[in-house]
């Protein structure tokens, strides 16, 4: 194990994508439960927001570098300047619908960006092997990925296991699958000490409101339609983001090099049920509704399905539970309640991220959905 969980100062963790939803939860958790120094490299795309990090709490242990992981020179400078012990690579384009509307950025960041980072990490690690063999021995590159690389589990009771063959359906999941393959190849061919984790759908505070749960909470709060794709019977396996962040730190520090760990919360729920539960929670937590709304659930609107939509994801997380002793601490009930309350309480953060670019996306994507719906009808 690398030591920083036990409080040894001097370990430096380089997080990519640390201004995003999960990356910021990782940075906050590293700040809270370890004494590691943290360098956060993020391009600050539409999905990145530095306010999510809460860096003021870190007592001088935190550095932010605004840079693109596809920029090899910038990445080299970061590695040379900060000499990381551990890399936790989360930077990615992450939204399936955007990958359908425009795949290029997904190929660029998820595949080319991961390749760039692997090459820079390899050069750095090989150099360490000559100058500081002990540090080279402890070095780890943890690549954070998704269960969507495994494809669709519809029509079976099976779960995704670490050995499940890859069968990605969307440009997003295909680009993540490509990046996972690169990471495995760099481990096997060059010996780079890598680890991979594949996690199910996350939810919780600071998630950009283009994803199902925050979108539904905020639309309902504002009395807008709740757009459920197709019949809403698709199943996702939900994990509270802070549980994921703790699992990632466990993998990065205690996982076995070369291994893959599946992470999930054992919470299989249909999309329609998720939306209905959000509506029920809002009835309790936000009883004063927008004008014209009798019940939040009346806002549920079935819209055109997502092309290539995977019908079911579900994770077997027994390996990380057994080998690394990680278990989630939130149930879907407790986590969803906290999440709804957080979005109700944090209007300023929501205001800050829902810029013109966000409004353009909503207009374009759901505007088109509305047209499809009218044509279907
Ligand atoms: P996110 O979209 O909220 O955040 C991504 C972050 O990466 C943003 O801060 C963005 O600015 C940054 N970024 C994007 N392109 C970059 C580039 N070229 N260079 C540097 N930074 C860049 O994503 P998320 O939901 O936090 O997901 C983080 C990681 O976890 C991703 O790799 C994703 O595939 C994976 N994952 C997500 C989920 C989920 O449910 N959200 C589940 C499993 C795995
Ligand atoms: P999403 O949050 O985009 O995550 P992912 O596609 O990575 O699973 O979507 C979760 C599920 O919710 C997915 O089955 C698509 C569905 N969905 C809707 O029904 N309506 C929406 O407006 C959105 C954004 C998603």
């Amino acid at each position: 194990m690398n030591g920083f969980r036990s409080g040894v100062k001097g370990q430096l963790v380089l997080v990519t994508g640390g201004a995003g939803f999960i990356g910021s939860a990782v940075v906050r958790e590293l700040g809270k439960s370890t004494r590691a120094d943290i360098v956060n490299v993020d391009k600050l795309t539409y999905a990145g927001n530095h306010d999510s990090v809460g860096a003021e709490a870190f007592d001088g242990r935190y550095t932010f570098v605004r840079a693109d992981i596809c920029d090899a020179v910038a990445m080299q400078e970061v590695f040379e300047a900060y000499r990381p012990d551990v890399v936790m690579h989360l930077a990615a384009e992450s939204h399936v619908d955007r990958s359908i509307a425009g795949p290029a950025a997904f190929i660029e960041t998820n595949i080319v960006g991961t390749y760039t980072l692997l090459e820079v990490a390899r050069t750095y690690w090989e150099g360490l092997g000559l100058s500081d063999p002990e540090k080279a021995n402890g070095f780890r590159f943890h690549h954070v990925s998704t269960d969507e690389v495994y494809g669709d589990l519809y029509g079976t009771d099976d779960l995704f296991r670490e050995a499940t063959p890859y069968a990605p359906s969307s440009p997003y999941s295909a680009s993540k699958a490509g990046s996972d393959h690169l990471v495995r190849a760099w481990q096997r061919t060059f010996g780079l000490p890598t680890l991979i984790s594949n996690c199910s759908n996350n939810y919780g505070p600071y998630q950009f409101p283009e994803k199902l749960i925050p979108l539904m909470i905020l639309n309902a709060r504002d009395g807008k339609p709740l757009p459920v794709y197709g019949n809403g019977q698709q199943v996702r396996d939900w994990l509270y983001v802070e549980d994921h962040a703790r699992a990632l730190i466990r993998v990065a520090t205690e996982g076995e090099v070369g291994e893959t760990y599946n992470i999930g919360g054992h919470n299989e729920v249909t999309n329609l049920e998720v939306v209905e539960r959000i509506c029920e929670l809002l009835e309790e937590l936000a009883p004063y509704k927008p004008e014209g709304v009798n019940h939040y659930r009346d806002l549920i609107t079935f819209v055109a399905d997502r092309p290539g939509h995977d019908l079911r994801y579900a994770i077997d997380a027994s390996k990380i539970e057994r080998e690394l002793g990680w278990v989630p601490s939130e149930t879907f009930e407790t986590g969803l309640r906290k999440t709804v309350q957080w979005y109700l309480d944090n209007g300023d953060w929501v205001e800050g991220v829902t810029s013109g670019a966000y409004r353009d996306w909503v207009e374009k994507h759901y505007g088109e959905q509305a047209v499809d719906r009218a044509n279907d009808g």
Side-chain angles (χ1 to χ4, degrees), residues 94-97 148 172 201 207 210-213 215-216 227-230 232 234-236 238 271 303 306 309-310 313 365-366:
S94 69
H95 186 37
V96 173
D97 293 323
E148 302 194 25
Y172 163 65
N201 285 63
Q207 186 168 31
E210 63 188 354
K211 304 276 170 70
L212 179 73
I213 289 181
L215 181 91
M216 295 296 166
V228 173
Y229 297 164
Q234 307 83 1
V235 172
R236 297 292 183 264
W238 295 96
N271 291 340
V303 301
R306 168 188 282 173
H309 201 166
D310 284 333
Y313 300 143
H365 183 63
Y366 294 100

Side-chain angles (χ1 to χ4, degrees), residues 5 43 66 95 112 182 187 195 204 221 225 233 236 264 277 368:
R5 284 187 72 245
K43 183 182 174 183
R66 185 172 189 186
H95 186 37
V112 179
L182 292 175
Q187 201 271 320
L195 303 102
R221 179 199 71 176
Q233 292 310 305
R236 297 292 183 264
R277 288 204 206 178
E368 278 169 10

Side-chain angles (χ1 to χ4, degrees), residues 30 63 81 87 89-90 99 174 198 200 202 243 296 325 328 355 373:
L30 283 168
T63 307
V87 177
H89 172 38
L90 294 97
S99 81
N198 296 86
S200 61
N202 282 216
D243 278 325
Y296 287 110
S355 63
R373 213 163 51 239

Side-chain angles (χ1 to χ4, degrees), residues 65-146:
V65 179
R66 185 172 189 186
D68 187 332
I69 58 162
C70 300
D71 180 343
V73 173
M75 290 305 106
Q76 248 160 7
E77 283 171 7
V78 166
F79 274 74
E80 278 163 22
Y82 297 103
R83 298 174 49 82
D85 297 282
V86 177
V87 177
M88 297 179 75
H89 172 38
L90 294 97
E93 289 290 337
S94 69
H95 186 37
V96 173
D97 293 323
R98 283 185 191 256
S99 81
I100 297 167
F106 289 73
I107 306 306
E108 190 61 21
T109 286
N110 299 0
I111 300 184
V112 179
T114 300
Y115 156 74
T116 306
L117 211 55
L118 283 167
E119 274 297 75
V120 170
R122 178 164 79 96
T123 306
Y124 163 75
W125 170 71
E126 286 173 353
L128 276 186
L130 301 173
S131 64
D132 190 347
E134 201 184 324
K135 195 170 165 93
N137 269 340
F139 179 73
R140 277 141 176 264
F141 184 106
H142 175 194
H143 174 64
V144 177
S145 192
T146 165

Side-chain angles (χ1 to χ4, degrees), residues 6-281:
S6 56
V8 177
K9 191 145 166 74
Q11 291 274 335
L12 189 133
V13 185
L14 172 62
V15 179
T16 72
F21 168 49
I22 302 172
S24 67
V26 167
V27 173
R28 292 192 303 273
E29 186 63 30
L30 283 168
K32 195 172 75 184
S33 66
T34 79
R35 295 180 59 207
D37 291 312
I38 306 155
V39 174
N40 177 8
V41 172
D42 198 297
K43 183 182 174 183
L44 296 183
T45 68
Y46 78 93
N49 186 329
H50 200 256
D51 291 345
S52 307
V53 172
E56 55 287 347
F58 294 154
D59 193 22
R61 291 187 289 136
Y62 174 80
T63 307
F64 178 68
V65 179
R66 185 172 189 186
D68 187 332
I69 58 162
C70 300
D71 180 343
V73 173
M75 290 305 106
Q76 248 160 7
E77 283 171 7
V78 166
F79 274 74
E80 278 163 22
Y82 297 103
R83 298 174 49 82
D85 297 282
V86 177
V87 177
M88 297 179 75
H89 172 38
L90 294 97
E93 289 290 337
S94 69
H95 186 37
V96 173
D97 293 323
R98 283 185 191 256
S99 81
I100 297 167
F106 289 73
I107 306 306
E108 190 61 21
T109 286
N110 299 0
I111 300 184
V112 179
T114 300
Y115 156 74
T116 306
L117 211 55
L118 283 167
E119 274 297 75
V120 170
R122 178 164 79 96
T123 306
Y124 163 75
W125 170 71
E126 286 173 353
L128 276 186
L130 301 173
S131 64
D132 190 347
E134 201 184 324
K135 195 170 165 93
N137 269 340
F139 179 73
R140 277 141 176 264
F141 184 106
H142 175 194
H143 174 64
V144 177
S145 192
T146 165
D147 63 351
E148 302 194 25
V149 297
Y150 299 124
D152 195 346
L153 274 175
Y154 183 65
T156 141
D157 291 337
D158 210 357
L159 302 171
F160 293 137
R161 301 192 167 78
E162 285 79 3
T164 301
Y166 277 30
S169 306
S170 70
Y172 163 65
S173 54
S175 67
K176 290 296 292 187
S179 65
D180 294 10
H181 290 319
L182 292 175
V183 172
R184 259 187 214 101
W186 259 243
Q187 201 271 320
R188 177 153 174 153
T189 302
F190 304 115
L192 187 71
T194 65
L195 303 102
I196 299 177
S197 56
N198 296 86
C199 187
S200 61
N201 285 63
N202 282 216
Y203 69 102
Y206 302 102
Q207 186 168 31
F208 194 74
E210 63 188 354
K211 304 276 170 70
L212 179 73
I213 289 181
L215 181 91
M216 295 296 166
I217 297 169
L218 296 175
N219 275 18
R221 179 199 71 176
D222 296 342
K224 294 181 183 161
L226 307 180
V228 173
Y229 297 164
N231 61 11
Q233 292 310 305
Q234 307 83 1
V235 172
R236 297 292 183 264
D237 179 355
W238 295 96
L239 180 67
Y240 193 64
V241 66
E242 291 173 9
D243 278 325
H244 188 197
R246 286 187 278 271
L248 292 176
I249 294 172
R250 196 65 70 90
V251 169
T253 56
E254 294 177 46
E256 195 163 325
V257 164
E259 290 293 311
T260 290
Y261 296 90
N262 279 358
I263 307 172
H266 307 291
N267 289 310
E268 283 188 58
V269 192
T270 66
N271 291 340
L272 186 57
E273 202 183 329
V274 169
V275 179
E276 286 171 346
R277 288 204 206 178
I278 290 170
C279 291
E280 280 164 28
L281 280 165

